Amino acid sequence: MILWPMIPEQIINMRSDFTISKLIEAGRLAQQLGARIIGLGAYAAWIGKRGVLLAEAVNVPVTTGTNYTILVAIEAALSALNAVGINISEASVSVIGATGSIGEICTRILAKDVGQLILVARNEEKLHKLAGSLREAGSTNVTCTNSINNAVSKADLILIATSAPTALVSIDDIKPGSVVCDISLPHNILKDEAEKKTDILVIDGGVVKPPGNVDFHFCFGLEKGLAYACMAETMMLALEELYVSYSIGGNISILKVAKMAQLAKKHGFKLAEFTSFGKTVPKERIKAVAEARLAQPTHSPCPLTLSRPS
Ligand SMILES: NC(=O)c1ccc[n+]([C@@H]2O[C@H](COP(=O)([O-])OP(=O)(O)OC[C@H]3O[C@@H](n4cnc5c(N)ncnc54)[C@H](OP(=O)(O)O)[C@@H]3O)[C@@H](O)[C@H]2O)c1
């Protein structure tokens, strides 16, 4: 692992020519060390057109891990719904960051299976375009809004994948017995708030158990032996000797996610046990959320007030 110790706010606020030059410096170091593929973790993925400029500069394939992250996040969310007794076909699902590279493909994969889909982002034009395209593809259950608190208050599952480096979702807006799958790094929900509300299950969206007893010899915020999906995608491509730039630029698709599912099966990469802010979720917590769910009055998913007609 090659580390560039900058926090997301610094990366966002620094001049892009500086951040790109530092990324290329790190890429050249990887090349000298013999790397045949380079994976960009978390916020490094934003620099230089999402890996495109680095791939051009170093002549080594680059990936951001986005396609495998999508697969793992969906697996985690569906598995968590099942664990607390929520039926996906009746569930109201809010995707915060629905128009982003992770959010959009998650939305497209889930659209036909969920009870109701609520798309959230700031740019209304992009939101309505996505909602329109989902409706054209046969989903009748799609609404959109840019009010996060409105969207989360009605949801059984909240999938968060935004590029905002701060908290966006308040746990107090979420109903008891619901599941939050936060893919964003840094997270968009506060750890202290999430820990206090024992009747809501908050899980990390992209945590993977690689095969064998892996020791990364470095603590990047997860328990020993676990990896982020963005790292795991790079490992799987290397094991497969598939030395191509896999998830760079806008190169994210359902087909590429499906290919990751095949590679994960072949090489033994699995969804980790549920973690929340890097720590394994205790079984009692899952039970408490399932009980809170049972205590909720049954209701039909109700339509949202749209921010503008669609
Ligand atoms: N766990 C992992 O292994 C892993 C791997 C890769 C990425 N990630 C993380 O996943 C997250 C999403 O990545 P991405 O590549 O999908 O990002 P992206 O393509 O930039 O999409 C970001 C989405 O968030 C929305 N958004 C941004 N700020 C917002 C705000 N304040 N309120 C509401 N919506 C907002 C954007 O739409 P508007 O601009 O219109 O609001 C867009 O829909 C990042 O935090 C990244 O670090 C995790």
Side-chain angles (χ1 to χ4, degrees):
M1 285 182 69
I2 296 174
L3 305 182
W4 178 33
M6 304 303 286
I7 59 171
E9 282 89 344
Q10 289 172 311
I11 294 177
I12 291 167
N13 293 316
M14 279 173 167
R15 284 198 348 255
S16 64
D17 55 345
F18 174 74
T19 51
I20 291 166
S21 71
K22 292 306 280 184
L23 188 70
I24 292 175
E25 210 179 300
R28 294 215 168 107
L29 177 59
Q31 195 174 18
Q32 279 166 24
L33 292 170
R36 296 177 65 187
I37 184 157
I38 296 173
L40 298 179
Y43 244 76
W46 265 266
I47 306 171
K49 300 185 182 167
R50 293 166 186 268
V52 173
L53 297 187
L54 176 64
E56 284 168 8
V58 294
N59 202 21
V60 175
V62 175
T63 194
T64 60
T66 303
N67 282 293
Y68 188 43
T69 298
I70 292 167
L71 177 74
V72 171
I74 289 180
E75 283 179 353
L78 294 183
S79 170
L81 282 186
N82 193 33
V84 303
I86 300 175
N87 181 346
I88 181 79
S89 65
E90 290 166 8
S92 184
V93 178
S94 285
V95 184
I96 322 282
T99 52
S101 44
I102 293 177
E104 179 178 340
I105 301 294
C106 285
T107 301
R108 289 190 185 280
I109 292 172
L110 289 172
K112 288 216 177 100
D113 296 326
V114 304
Q116 194 196 5
L117 196 53
I118 305 158
L119 312 180
V120 191
R122 292 165 304 177
N123 184 315
E124 293 193 15
E125 204 178 321
K126 282 193 193 164
L127 265 183
H128 287 279
K129 199 170 157 205
L130 174 61
S133 114
L134 292 168
R135 288 190 196 107
E136 269 172 35
S139 300
T140 52
N141 52 358
V142 186
T143 55
C144 40
T145 178
N146 41 29
S147 161
I148 293 178
N149 49 0
N150 197 6
V152 302
S153 66
K154 293 172 171 68
D156 303 299
L157 167 66
I158 298 149
L159 209 60
I160 314 175
T162 85
S163 47
T166 49
L168 294 177
V169 175
S170 164
I171 200 96
D172 292 331
D173 291 332
I174 303 171
K175 57 184 185 185
S178 303
V179 171
V180 180
C181 178
D182 192 357
I183 306 161
S184 304
L185 289 174
H187 288 304
N188 291 151
I189 192 154
L190 290 175
K191 182 171 183 270
D192 292 352
E193 281 194 12
E195 278 171 358
K196 267 190 267 161
K197 278 270 188 155
T198 51
D199 54 6
I200 294 168
L201 180 59
V202 179
I203 58 166
D204 305 324
V207 183
V208 174
K209 168 84 188 70
N213 291 321
V214 180
D215 188 346
F216 292 103
H217 299 287
F218 186 82
C219 177
F220 40 81
L222 295 178
E223 286 172 5
K224 198 173 160 201
L226 301 183
Y228 283 111
C230 48
M231 302 161 64
E233 178 175 302
T234 319
M235 294 175 209
M236 292 196 300
L237 291 170
L239 287 169
E240 188 68 11
E241 300 187 7
L242 190 57
Y243 297 121
V244 294
S245 287
Y246 197 79
S247 308
I248 60 167
N251 225 341
I252 317 297
S253 68
I254 294 179
L255 266 180
K256 289 198 138 192
V257 173
K259 171 83 182 169
M260 278 294 127
Q262 283 171 8
L263 291 193
K265 194 166 176 212
K266 178 172 172 188
H267 295 290
F269 285 72
K270 291 184 180 140
L271 177 67
E273 270 187 64
F274 300 133
T275 63
S276 189
F277 299 91
K279 295 271 171 290
T280 302
V281 178
K283 299 268 179 294
E284 304 77 61
R285 177 72 180 253
I286 299 169
K287 198 165 161 246
V289 179
E291 282 167 6
R293 176 80 199 166
L294 280 177
Q296 286 291 298
T298 45
H299 65 280
S300 310
C302 50
L304 279 180
T305 310
L306 291 181
S307 48
R308 71 167 203 210
S310 58

